[in-house]
Amino acid sequence: MTSSITDVAGIEVGHFTDARRPTGCTVVLARGSAVAGVDVRGAAPGTRETDLLAPQNVVERVHAVLLSGGSAWGLDAAGGVMRWLEEQGIGIDVGPARIPIVPAAVLFDLPLGDQRVRPDAAAGYAACQAASRSAPAEGCIGAGAGAVVGKIFGFHRAMKGGIGTASVTAGGVTVGALIACNALGDVVDPDTGRVIAGARTEDGLHLLDSRRALLRGDAPRPMLAGSNTTIGVIATDAVLTKVQASRLATVGHDGLARSINPVHTLSDGDALFALATGASGRTPGMMTLAAMAAEACALAVVRAVRAARGVRIGELHLPAAGEI
């Protein structure tokens, strides 16, 4: 049975993929609300409502997290998520209205196809309509539709990225992750260090291994700041405080560091959100939860590229893992 973030009680996932070009968005719903945290590690992020999630600020619970393509334009899709939640009567009661809290993060997928096509409010709304407790589809769908990895030595030498999910259960508590991988660096097997997908040799026929290439002095050709990014959501049914949720988001980046190399670069906007539904009624301790979160994130990154499929747009060919 495939493990996924929807193994966490209280979590639903929905994708919207735009048929006009490779782009889309993905929503993680917590209809009953969830205690939330965030950790932004990349130097060029595109986000919304991250200040709200700082442990010292007042609001503790959110109702959804949006992951989107389209770069900064993709943040528009969060408005559609808010509208859908409002129609369901979901949000913080402020007297005259209920305000849904929807943090979001975006990745840069504009080089594939017509950049004027990007997720908007209608896309976010459609993703909510598609949401369910079923294991979400992986690969080139939703926020991962236009994801590309291994761009550190030029976009023409890169490979197709995507979105992936995984979960880990221990002691009656589950931690899941959903990761859209659009990294500048390579994706590697966290157990062996072997490159799975990433920068290719100049002839395009073999994997380069960017870490070794950089260490021997090969000159990188990174894209503009913000033109890469790995974004995702960690969710657990453990009972957590807002401070603990923020820490869970932080340690989730350990999983990114195991599976992406290099990661958290000046050209990436890496960001992870954490949601705690509390549905298990258990609190196993942050040491165990930290190990579970890092493991789930690493597995989700690997599954994102292994589920991806190659794409051809004009003369550009971006193969998928296993094709070379």
PDB file of all heavy atoms in Angstrom, residues 104-145:
ATOM      1  N   ALA A 104       0.832  29.873   1.908  1.00  0.00           N
ATOM      2  CA  ALA A 104       1.131  29.356   0.569  1.00  0.00           C
ATOM      3  C   ALA A 104       2.605  29.553   0.234  1.00  0.00           C
ATOM      4  O   ALA A 104       3.276  30.436   0.784  1.00  0.00           O
ATOM      5  CB  ALA A 104       0.259  30.053  -0.470  1.00  0.00           C
ATOM      6  N   ALA A 105       3.073  28.747  -0.685  1.00  0.00           N
ATOM      7  CA  ALA A 105       4.417  28.896  -1.246  1.00  0.00           C
ATOM      8  C   ALA A 105       4.359  28.531  -2.721  1.00  0.00           C
ATOM      9  O   ALA A 105       3.560  27.692  -3.129  1.00  0.00           O
ATOM     10  CB  ALA A 105       5.430  28.021  -0.516  1.00  0.00           C
ATOM     11  N   VAL A 106       5.221  29.167  -3.511  1.00  0.00           N
ATOM     12  CA  VAL A 106       5.218  28.949  -4.959  1.00  0.00           C
ATOM     13  C   VAL A 106       6.597  28.518  -5.443  1.00  0.00           C
ATOM     14  O   VAL A 106       7.616  28.757  -4.789  1.00  0.00           O
ATOM     15  CB  VAL A 106       4.791  30.233  -5.717  1.00  0.00           C
ATOM     16  CG1 VAL A 106       3.346  30.583  -5.394  1.00  0.00           C
ATOM     17  CG2 VAL A 106       5.705  31.406  -5.404  1.00  0.00           C
ATOM     18  N   LEU A 107       6.598  27.874  -6.589  1.00  0.00           N
ATOM     19  CA  LEU A 107       7.843  27.530  -7.263  1.00  0.00           C
ATOM     20  C   LEU A 107       7.842  28.112  -8.675  1.00  0.00           C
ATOM     21  O   LEU A 107       6.790  28.450  -9.221  1.00  0.00           O
ATOM     22  CB  LEU A 107       8.078  26.022  -7.274  1.00  0.00           C
ATOM     23  CG  LEU A 107       7.013  25.090  -7.869  1.00  0.00           C
ATOM     24  CD1 LEU A 107       7.048  25.079  -9.379  1.00  0.00           C
ATOM     25  CD2 LEU A 107       7.183  23.684  -7.317  1.00  0.00           C
ATOM     26  N   PHE A 108       9.017  28.223  -9.248  1.00  0.00           N
ATOM     27  CA  PHE A 108       9.215  28.854 -10.548  1.00  0.00           C
ATOM     28  C   PHE A 108       9.171  27.790 -11.640  1.00  0.00           C
ATOM     29  O   PHE A 108      10.050  26.939 -11.730  1.00  0.00           O
ATOM     30  CB  PHE A 108      10.571  29.563 -10.555  1.00  0.00           C
ATOM     31  CG  PHE A 108      10.886  30.336 -11.801  1.00  0.00           C
ATOM     32  CD1 PHE A 108      10.524  31.665 -11.922  1.00  0.00           C
ATOM     33  CD2 PHE A 108      11.587  29.752 -12.845  1.00  0.00           C
ATOM     34  CE1 PHE A 108      10.844  32.399 -13.064  1.00  0.00           C
ATOM     35  CE2 PHE A 108      11.902  30.465 -13.989  1.00  0.00           C
ATOM     36  CZ  PHE A 108      11.530  31.787 -14.097  1.00  0.00           C
ATOM     37  N   ASP A 109       8.125  27.825 -12.477  1.00  0.00           N
ATOM     38  CA  ASP A 109       8.002  26.865 -13.580  1.00  0.00           C
ATOM     39  C   ASP A 109       7.732  27.578 -14.908  1.00  0.00           C
ATOM     40  O   ASP A 109       7.220  26.974 -15.854  1.00  0.00           O
ATOM     41  CB  ASP A 109       6.900  25.837 -13.294  1.00  0.00           C
ATOM     42  CG  ASP A 109       5.522  26.472 -13.092  1.00  0.00           C
ATOM     43  OD1 ASP A 109       5.386  27.698 -13.282  1.00  0.00           O
ATOM     44  OD2 ASP A 109       4.576  25.740 -12.730  1.00  0.00           O
ATOM     45  N   LEU A 110       8.091  28.862 -14.992  1.00  0.00           N
ATOM     46  CA  LEU A 110       7.736  29.672 -16.156  1.00  0.00           C
ATOM     47  C   LEU A 110       8.459  29.299 -17.452  1.00  0.00           C
ATOM     48  O   LEU A 110       7.938  29.605 -18.532  1.00  0.00           O
ATOM     49  CB  LEU A 110       7.981  31.161 -15.851  1.00  0.00           C
ATOM     50  CG  LEU A 110       7.215  31.725 -14.643  1.00  0.00           C
ATOM     51  CD1 LEU A 110       7.523  33.214 -14.465  1.00  0.00           C
ATOM     52  CD2 LEU A 110       5.715  31.502 -14.777  1.00  0.00           C
ATOM     53  N   PRO A 111       9.649  28.650 -17.427  1.00  0.00           N
ATOM     54  CA  PRO A 111      10.313  28.339 -18.695  1.00  0.00           C
ATOM     55  C   PRO A 111       9.596  27.313 -19.568  1.00  0.00           C
ATOM     56  O   PRO A 111       9.889  27.215 -20.773  1.00  0.00           O
ATOM     57  CB  PRO A 111      11.684  27.796 -18.265  1.00  0.00           C
ATOM     58  CG  PRO A 111      11.904  28.356 -16.912  1.00  0.00           C
ATOM     59  CD  PRO A 111      10.539  28.370 -16.291  1.00  0.00           C
ATOM     60  N   LEU A 112       8.667  26.538 -19.002  1.00  0.00           N
ATOM     61  CA  LEU A 112       8.009  25.488 -19.779  1.00  0.00           C
ATOM     62  C   LEU A 112       6.700  26.012 -20.364  1.00  0.00           C
ATOM     63  O   LEU A 112       5.694  26.138 -19.661  1.00  0.00           O
ATOM     64  CB  LEU A 112       7.741  24.267 -18.903  1.00  0.00           C
ATOM     65  CG  LEU A 112       8.967  23.554 -18.331  1.00  0.00           C
ATOM     66  CD1 LEU A 112       8.551  22.322 -17.551  1.00  0.00           C
ATOM     67  CD2 LEU A 112       9.948  23.185 -19.429  1.00  0.00           C
ATOM     68  N   GLY A 113       6.703  26.314 -21.666  1.00  0.00           N
ATOM     69  CA  GLY A 113       5.481  26.772 -22.315  1.00  0.00           C
ATOM     70  C   GLY A 113       5.236  28.253 -22.125  1.00  0.00           C
ATOM     71  O   GLY A 113       6.137  29.029 -21.789  1.00  0.00           O
ATOM     72  N   ASP A 114       3.988  28.668 -22.316  1.00  0.00           N
ATOM     73  CA  ASP A 114       3.591  30.067 -22.276  1.00  0.00           C
ATOM     74  C   ASP A 114       3.507  30.542 -20.829  1.00  0.00           C
ATOM     75  O   ASP A 114       2.604  30.150 -20.083  1.00  0.00           O
ATOM     76  CB  ASP A 114       2.222  30.220 -22.956  1.00  0.00           C
ATOM     77  CG  ASP A 114       1.781  31.668 -23.072  1.00  0.00           C
ATOM     78  OD1 ASP A 114       2.411  32.558 -22.466  1.00  0.00           O
ATOM     79  OD2 ASP A 114       0.772  31.921 -23.767  1.00  0.00           O
ATOM     80  N   GLN A 115       4.444  31.413 -20.430  1.00  0.00           N
ATOM     81  CA  GLN A 115       4.496  31.849 -19.033  1.00  0.00           C
ATOM     82  C   GLN A 115       3.284  32.664 -18.605  1.00  0.00           C
ATOM     83  O   GLN A 115       3.058  32.882 -17.418  1.00  0.00           O
ATOM     84  CB  GLN A 115       5.780  32.654 -18.775  1.00  0.00           C
ATOM     85  CG  GLN A 115       5.977  33.862 -19.668  1.00  0.00           C
ATOM     86  CD  GLN A 115       5.274  35.118 -19.171  1.00  0.00           C
ATOM     87  OE1 GLN A 115       4.983  35.252 -17.990  1.00  0.00           O
ATOM     88  NE2 GLN A 115       4.988  36.044 -20.067  1.00  0.00           N
ATOM     89  N   ARG A 116       2.473  33.103 -19.583  1.00  0.00           N
ATOM     90  CA  ARG A 116       1.259  33.845 -19.229  1.00  0.00           C
ATOM     91  C   ARG A 116       0.175  32.924 -18.656  1.00  0.00           C
ATOM     92  O   ARG A 116      -0.813  33.404 -18.094  1.00  0.00           O
ATOM     93  CB  ARG A 116       0.722  34.581 -20.464  1.00  0.00           C
ATOM     94  CG  ARG A 116       1.641  35.701 -20.950  1.00  0.00           C
ATOM     95  CD  ARG A 116       1.185  36.234 -22.298  1.00  0.00           C
ATOM     96  NE  ARG A 116       1.263  35.205 -23.332  1.00  0.00           N
ATOM     97  CZ  ARG A 116       0.927  35.412 -24.614  1.00  0.00           C
ATOM     98  NH1 ARG A 116       0.487  36.597 -25.002  1.00  0.00           N
ATOM     99  NH2 ARG A 116       1.041  34.423 -25.486  1.00  0.00           N
ATOM    100  N   VAL A 117       0.370  31.634 -18.798  1.00  0.00           N
ATOM    101  CA  VAL A 117      -0.541  30.651 -18.202  1.00  0.00           C
ATOM    102  C   VAL A 117       0.004  30.261 -16.838  1.00  0.00           C
ATOM    103  O   VAL A 117       1.086  29.682 -16.729  1.00  0.00           O
ATOM    104  CB  VAL A 117      -0.656  29.396 -19.092  1.00  0.00           C
ATOM    105  CG1 VAL A 117      -1.518  28.347 -18.411  1.00  0.00           C
ATOM    106  CG2 VAL A 117      -1.208  29.762 -20.457  1.00  0.00           C
ATOM    107  N   ARG A 118      -0.703  30.608 -15.774  1.00  0.00           N
ATOM    108  CA  ARG A 118      -0.252  30.274 -14.430  1.00  0.00           C
ATOM    109  C   ARG A 118      -1.457  30.111 -13.519  1.00  0.00           C
ATOM    110  O   ARG A 118      -2.536  30.621 -13.798  1.00  0.00           O
ATOM    111  CB  ARG A 118       0.698  31.327 -13.870  1.00  0.00           C
ATOM    112  CG  ARG A 118       0.171  32.742 -13.901  1.00  0.00           C
ATOM    113  CD  ARG A 118       0.981  33.606 -14.838  1.00  0.00           C
ATOM    114  NE  ARG A 118       0.530  34.992 -14.830  1.00  0.00           N
ATOM    115  CZ  ARG A 118       1.104  35.967 -15.523  1.00  0.00           C
ATOM    116  NH1 ARG A 118       2.166  35.710 -16.267  1.00  0.00           N
ATOM    117  NH2 ARG A 118       0.651  37.192 -15.460  1.00  0.00           N
ATOM    118  N   PRO A 119      -1.291  29.398 -12.410  1.00  0.00           N
ATOM    119  CA  PRO A 119      -2.423  29.159 -11.513  1.00  0.00           C
ATOM    120  C   PRO A 119      -3.013  30.460 -10.963  1.00  0.00           C
ATOM    121  O   PRO A 119      -2.283  31.377 -10.583  1.00  0.00           O
ATOM    122  CB  PRO A 119      -1.804  28.327 -10.377  1.00  0.00           C
ATOM    123  CG  PRO A 119      -0.626  27.659 -11.013  1.00  0.00           C
ATOM    124  CD  PRO A 119      -0.084  28.661 -11.991  1.00  0.00           C
ATOM    125  N   ASP A 120      -4.340  30.521 -10.932  1.00  0.00           N
ATOM    126  CA  ASP A 120      -5.038  31.685 -10.413  1.00  0.00           C
ATOM    127  C   ASP A 120      -6.059  31.227  -9.366  1.00  0.00           C
ATOM    128  O   ASP A 120      -6.045  30.069  -8.937  1.00  0.00           O
ATOM    129  CB  ASP A 120      -5.712  32.465 -11.545  1.00  0.00           C
ATOM    130  CG  ASP A 120      -6.658  31.599 -12.374  1.00  0.00           C
ATOM    131  OD1 ASP A 120      -6.977  30.467 -11.940  1.00  0.00           O
ATOM    132  OD2 ASP A 120      -7.083  32.055 -13.460  1.00  0.00           O
ATOM    133  N   ALA A 121      -6.949  32.135  -8.954  1.00  0.00           N
ATOM    134  CA  ALA A 121      -7.924  31.784  -7.934  1.00  0.00           C
ATOM    135  C   ALA A 121      -8.810  30.616  -8.355  1.00  0.00           C
ATOM    136  O   ALA A 121      -9.163  29.755  -7.536  1.00  0.00           O
ATOM    137  CB  ALA A 121      -8.769  33.004  -7.582  1.00  0.00           C
ATOM    138  N   ALA A 122      -9.176  30.576  -9.641  1.00  0.00           N
ATOM    139  CA  ALA A 122     -10.003  29.468 -10.127  1.00  0.00           C
ATOM    140  C   ALA A 122      -9.266  28.137  -9.991  1.00  0.00           C
ATOM    141  O   ALA A 122      -9.866  27.096  -9.697  1.00  0.00           O
ATOM    142  CB  ALA A 122     -10.409  29.714 -11.576  1.00  0.00           C
ATOM    143  N   ALA A 123      -7.948  28.162 -10.194  1.00  0.00           N
ATOM    144  CA  ALA A 123      -7.149  26.947 -10.056  1.00  0.00           C
ATOM    145  C   ALA A 123      -7.129  26.472  -8.606  1.00  0.00           C
ATOM    146  O   ALA A 123      -7.266  25.278  -8.322  1.00  0.00           O
ATOM    147  CB  ALA A 123      -5.731  27.197 -10.552  1.00  0.00           C
ATOM    148  N   GLY A 124      -6.951  27.404  -7.666  1.00  0.00           N
ATOM    149  CA  GLY A 124      -6.965  27.043  -6.257  1.00  0.00           C
ATOM    150  C   GLY A 124      -8.305  26.472  -5.836  1.00  0.00           C
ATOM    151  O   GLY A 124      -8.372  25.494  -5.073  1.00  0.00           O
ATOM    152  N   TYR A 125      -9.381  27.060  -6.319  1.00  0.00           N
ATOM    153  CA  TYR A 125     -10.732  26.584  -6.018  1.00  0.00           C
ATOM    154  C   TYR A 125     -10.915  25.163  -6.556  1.00  0.00           C
ATOM    155  O   TYR A 125     -11.455  24.284  -5.871  1.00  0.00           O
ATOM    156  CB  TYR A 125     -11.755  27.535  -6.636  1.00  0.00           C
ATOM    157  CG  TYR A 125     -13.186  27.307  -6.203  1.00  0.00           C
ATOM    158  CD1 TYR A 125     -13.741  28.031  -5.155  1.00  0.00           C
ATOM    159  CD2 TYR A 125     -14.002  26.385  -6.862  1.00  0.00           C
ATOM    160  CE1 TYR A 125     -15.065  27.839  -4.757  1.00  0.00           C
ATOM    161  CE2 TYR A 125     -15.312  26.177  -6.478  1.00  0.00           C
ATOM    162  CZ  TYR A 125     -15.845  26.914  -5.427  1.00  0.00           C
ATOM    163  OH  TYR A 125     -17.148  26.712  -5.047  1.00  0.00           O
ATOM    164  N   ALA A 126     -10.472  24.935  -7.796  1.00  0.00           N
ATOM    165  CA  ALA A 126     -10.602  23.611  -8.413  1.00  0.00           C
ATOM    166  C   ALA A 126      -9.807  22.556  -7.649  1.00  0.00           C
ATOM    167  O   ALA A 126     -10.248  21.402  -7.520  1.00  0.00           O
ATOM    168  CB  ALA A 126     -10.151  23.672  -9.865  1.00  0.00           C
ATOM    169  N   ALA A 127      -8.633  22.932  -7.143  1.00  0.00           N
ATOM    170  CA  ALA A 127      -7.833  21.989  -6.355  1.00  0.00           C
ATOM    171  C   ALA A 127      -8.590  21.572  -5.101  1.00  0.00           C
ATOM    172  O   ALA A 127      -8.577  20.395  -4.708  1.00  0.00           O
ATOM    173  CB  ALA A 127      -6.490  22.618  -5.997  1.00  0.00           C
ATOM    174  N   CYS A 128      -9.281  22.521  -4.467  1.00  0.00           N
ATOM    175  CA  CYS A 128     -10.093  22.197  -3.288  1.00  0.00           C
ATOM    176  C   CYS A 128     -11.240  21.258  -3.644  1.00  0.00           C
ATOM    177  O   CYS A 128     -11.537  20.309  -2.897  1.00  0.00           O
ATOM    178  CB  CYS A 128     -10.652  23.477  -2.668  1.00  0.00           C
ATOM    179  SG  CYS A 128      -9.419  24.538  -1.905  1.00  0.00           S
ATOM    180  N   GLN A 129     -11.873  21.502  -4.768  1.00  0.00           N
ATOM    181  CA  GLN A 129     -12.971  20.635  -5.195  1.00  0.00           C
ATOM    182  C   GLN A 129     -12.499  19.202  -5.426  1.00  0.00           C
ATOM    183  O   GLN A 129     -13.268  18.251  -5.257  1.00  0.00           O
ATOM    184  CB  GLN A 129     -13.598  21.182  -6.475  1.00  0.00           C
ATOM    185  CG  GLN A 129     -14.408  22.458  -6.293  1.00  0.00           C
ATOM    186  CD  GLN A 129     -15.021  22.926  -7.590  1.00  0.00           C
ATOM    187  OE1 GLN A 129     -14.320  23.103  -8.595  1.00  0.00           O
ATOM    188  NE2 GLN A 129     -16.342  23.129  -7.582  1.00  0.00           N
ATOM    189  N   ALA A 130     -11.243  19.051  -5.820  1.00  0.00           N
ATOM    190  CA  ALA A 130     -10.695  17.725  -6.111  1.00  0.00           C
ATOM    191  C   ALA A 130     -10.120  17.035  -4.881  1.00  0.00           C
ATOM    192  O   ALA A 130      -9.717  15.872  -4.954  1.00  0.00           O
ATOM    193  CB  ALA A 130      -9.601  17.845  -7.179  1.00  0.00           C
ATOM    194  N   ALA A 131     -10.075  17.718  -3.749  1.00  0.00           N
ATOM    195  CA  ALA A 131      -9.400  17.189  -2.570  1.00  0.00           C
ATOM    196  C   ALA A 131     -10.130  15.986  -1.989  1.00  0.00           C
ATOM    197  O   ALA A 131     -11.362  15.916  -1.993  1.00  0.00           O
ATOM    198  CB  ALA A 131      -9.262  18.273  -1.513  1.00  0.00           C
ATOM    199  N   SER A 132      -9.347  15.038  -1.463  1.00  0.00           N
ATOM    200  CA  SER A 132      -9.915  13.849  -0.837  1.00  0.00           C
ATOM    201  C   SER A 132      -8.893  13.241   0.113  1.00  0.00           C
ATOM    202  O   SER A 132      -7.740  13.667   0.166  1.00  0.00           O
ATOM    203  CB  SER A 132     -10.316  12.818  -1.896  1.00  0.00           C
ATOM    204  OG  SER A 132      -9.175  12.140  -2.388  1.00  0.00           O
ATOM    205  N   ARG A 133      -9.329  12.205   0.830  1.00  0.00           N
ATOM    206  CA  ARG A 133      -8.453  11.463   1.728  1.00  0.00           C
ATOM    207  C   ARG A 133      -7.669  10.394   0.983  1.00  0.00           C
ATOM    208  O   ARG A 133      -6.803   9.739   1.580  1.00  0.00           O
ATOM    209  CB  ARG A 133      -9.262  10.803   2.842  1.00  0.00           C
ATOM    210  CG  ARG A 133      -9.857  11.736   3.882  1.00  0.00           C
ATOM    211  CD  ARG A 133      -8.778  12.452   4.708  1.00  0.00           C
ATOM    212  NE  ARG A 133      -7.759  11.529   5.183  1.00  0.00           N
ATOM    213  CZ  ARG A 133      -7.879  10.733   6.243  1.00  0.00           C
ATOM    214  NH1 ARG A 133      -8.999  10.756   6.945  1.00  0.00           N
ATOM    215  NH2 ARG A 133      -6.901   9.924   6.603  1.00  0.00           N
ATOM    216  N   SER A 134      -7.941  10.201  -0.293  1.00  0.00           N
ATOM    217  CA  SER A 134      -7.205   9.205  -1.073  1.00  0.00           C
ATOM    218  C   SER A 134      -5.748   9.619  -1.225  1.00  0.00           C
ATOM    219  O   SER A 134      -5.412  10.802  -1.160  1.00  0.00           O
ATOM    220  CB  SER A 134      -7.836   9.043  -2.453  1.00  0.00           C
ATOM    221  OG  SER A 134      -9.177   8.622  -2.350  1.00  0.00           O
ATOM    222  N   ALA A 135      -4.888   8.644  -1.445  1.00  0.00           N
ATOM    223  CA  ALA A 135      -3.479   8.949  -1.699  1.00  0.00           C
ATOM    224  C   ALA A 135      -3.383   9.812  -2.956  1.00  0.00           C
ATOM    225  O   ALA A 135      -3.896   9.433  -4.015  1.00  0.00           O
ATOM    226  CB  ALA A 135      -2.683   7.671  -1.876  1.00  0.00           C
ATOM    227  N   PRO A 136      -2.745  10.981  -2.897  1.00  0.00           N
ATOM    228  CA  PRO A 136      -2.700  11.869  -4.056  1.00  0.00           C
ATOM    229  C   PRO A 136      -1.789  11.328  -5.153  1.00  0.00           C
ATOM    230  O   PRO A 136      -0.822  10.610  -4.881  1.00  0.00           O
ATOM    231  CB  PRO A 136      -2.143  13.174  -3.487  1.00  0.00           C
ATOM    232  CG  PRO A 136      -1.375  12.768  -2.273  1.00  0.00           C
ATOM    233  CD  PRO A 136      -2.100  11.573  -1.712  1.00  0.00           C
ATOM    234  N   ALA A 137      -2.129  11.676  -6.393  1.00  0.00           N
ATOM    235  CA  ALA A 137      -1.269  11.326  -7.523  1.00  0.00           C
ATOM    236  C   ALA A 137       0.072  12.018  -7.368  1.00  0.00           C
ATOM    237  O   ALA A 137       0.185  13.085  -6.759  1.00  0.00           O
ATOM    238  CB  ALA A 137      -1.935  11.733  -8.832  1.00  0.00           C
ATOM    239  N   GLU A 138       1.112  11.397  -7.939  1.00  0.00           N
ATOM    240  CA  GLU A 138       2.479  11.923  -7.834  1.00  0.00           C
ATOM    241  C   GLU A 138       3.056  12.157  -9.228  1.00  0.00           C
ATOM    242  O   GLU A 138       2.536  11.685 -10.227  1.00  0.00           O
ATOM    243  CB  GLU A 138       3.353  10.936  -7.065  1.00  0.00           C
ATOM    244  CG  GLU A 138       2.893  10.676  -5.640  1.00  0.00           C
ATOM    245  CD  GLU A 138       3.705   9.573  -4.965  1.00  0.00           C
ATOM    246  OE1 GLU A 138       3.469   8.390  -5.288  1.00  0.00           O
ATOM    247  OE2 GLU A 138       4.561   9.903  -4.136  1.00  0.00           O
ATOM    248  N   GLY A 139       4.157  12.895  -9.270  1.00  0.00           N
ATOM    249  CA  GLY A 139       4.856  13.159 -10.518  1.00  0.00           C
ATOM    250  C   GLY A 139       4.505  14.504 -11.093  1.00  0.00           C
ATOM    251  O   GLY A 139       4.499  15.526 -10.396  1.00  0.00           O
ATOM    252  N   CYS A 140       4.188  14.535 -12.384  1.00  0.00           N
ATOM    253  CA  CYS A 140       3.966  15.792 -13.107  1.00  0.00           C
ATOM    254  C   CYS A 140       2.502  16.204 -13.014  1.00  0.00           C
ATOM    255  O   CYS A 140       1.763  16.175 -14.005  1.00  0.00           O
ATOM    256  CB  CYS A 140       4.407  15.647 -14.562  1.00  0.00           C
ATOM    257  SG  CYS A 140       6.116  15.122 -14.728  1.00  0.00           S
ATOM    258  N   ILE A 141       2.097  16.593 -11.831  1.00  0.00           N
ATOM    259  CA  ILE A 141       0.710  16.941 -11.576  1.00  0.00           C
ATOM    260  C   ILE A 141       0.680  18.032 -10.516  1.00  0.00           C
ATOM    261  O   ILE A 141       1.603  18.169  -9.713  1.00  0.00           O
ATOM    262  CB  ILE A 141      -0.082  15.691 -11.118  1.00  0.00           C
ATOM    263  CG1 ILE A 141      -1.590  15.967 -11.083  1.00  0.00           C
ATOM    264  CG2 ILE A 141       0.423  15.184  -9.772  1.00  0.00           C
ATOM    265  CD1 ILE A 141      -2.425  14.712 -10.888  1.00  0.00           C
ATOM    266  N   GLY A 142      -0.372  18.839 -10.513  1.00  0.00           N
ATOM    267  CA  GLY A 142      -0.503  19.884  -9.512  1.00  0.00           C
ATOM    268  C   GLY A 142       0.703  20.801  -9.481  1.00  0.00           C
ATOM    269  O   GLY A 142       1.213  21.218 -10.524  1.00  0.00           O
ATOM    270  N   ALA A 143       1.174  21.110  -8.285  1.00  0.00           N
ATOM    271  CA  ALA A 143       2.321  22.010  -8.137  1.00  0.00           C
ATOM    272  C   ALA A 143       3.589  21.450  -8.756  1.00  0.00           C
ATOM    273  O   ALA A 143       4.545  22.192  -9.017  1.00  0.00           O
ATOM    274  CB  ALA A 143       2.550  22.314  -6.658  1.00  0.00           C
ATOM    275  N   GLY A 144       3.627  20.140  -9.002  1.00  0.00           N
ATOM    276  CA  GLY A 144       4.807  19.534  -9.605  1.00  0.00           C
ATOM    277  C   GLY A 144       4.764  19.426 -11.118  1.00  0.00           C
ATOM    278  O   GLY A 144       5.706  18.922 -11.733  1.00  0.00           O
ATOM    279  N   ALA A 145       3.693  19.925 -11.735  1.00  0.00           N
ATOM    280  CA  ALA A 145       3.527  19.750 -13.184  1.00  0.00           C
ATOM    281  C   ALA A 145       4.685  20.328 -13.982  1.00  0.00           C
ATOM    282  O   ALA A 145       5.144  19.739 -14.961  1.00  0.00           O
ATOM    283  CB  ALA A 145       2.207  20.370 -13.632  1.00  0.00           C
TER     284      ALA A 145
END
